[in-house]
Amino acid sequence: MRGSASTSATGFYGCIKGLFCTNMESKLQLLRKHVRTFPDFPKPGIQFRDICPILKSPPALTAAIDLFEEQVRTIHPQVDLIVGLDARGFLFGPLLAQRLEIGFVPVRKRGKLPGTTVTAAYDLEYGKAELEIQEDAVSPAQKVVLIDDLLATGGTLCAACELLLRLKAQVLGCLVLIELKDLRGAERLKPHTVFSLLQY
Ligand SMILES: O=P(O)(O)OC[C@H]1O[C@H](OP(=O)(O)OP(=O)(O)O)[C@H](O)[C@@H]1O
Ligand SMILES: Nc1ncnc2[nH]cnc12
């Protein structure tokens, strides 16, 4: 209704929603522009999605943290901890935790963490490994959201969720920048929910 002084409630909220979506879309587009694909790395047949250009671009990195922040706020109003996965989950996790003003806990590859740890083994898209968390890093019933750069087969995030469940944490969901849909990692992670910013 061009020129009208009155705006209906639906029109007003529709407009706000439109602005929000446009903003979200532009952030997603910016992120997508900063992901490079390398065929046959580190093995023949793997299309490697490289997130390094996001780290090199302050606007793209800010867009990623903005979108993760929005996602966490829709998951639960009071998340206690962000849990990041070794190694690329460490690039986004501490920034997100700082933005949310909550703590960050690392899940590391085996043998890197001092003190008493809990360990879980898993298979990768290209290999095998073990993950560990410090036993006292998370208290029972604490509400946690996990973060990693990428979901492929889901083996890594499954192992991390298993560690958190062994510490009796409440896993509210998993965030990833990139989800490789064909590998069906999200199905493997059920009943845990995966929230991905970009899908390939
Ligand atoms: O869903 P999945 O099949 O488990 O694969 C995803 C995982 O693989 C990559 O990490 P990688 O183990 O290569 O280690 P890095 O982060 O140390 O490079 C990626 O950063 C995820 O953590
Ligand atoms: N295709 C892929 N690209 C980047 N990181 C990965 N981790 C596992 N699969 C990957």
Side-chain angles (χ1 to χ4, degrees), residues 12-26:
F12 177 74
Y13 287 114
C15 175
I16 292 287
K17 196 171 160 228
L19 284 175
F20 176 76
C21 288
T22 310
N23 192 24
M24 195 173 91
E25 259 323 305
S26 63

Side-chain angles (χ1 to χ4, degrees), residues 122-142:
Y122 64 105
D123 291 320
L124 276 172
E125 191 186 0
Y126 41 79
K128 270 185 180 292
E130 280 177 302
L131 287 182
E132 283 184 341
I133 192 167
Q134 285 172 317
E135 198 182 42
D136 60 0
V138 180
S139 306
Q142 276 199 303

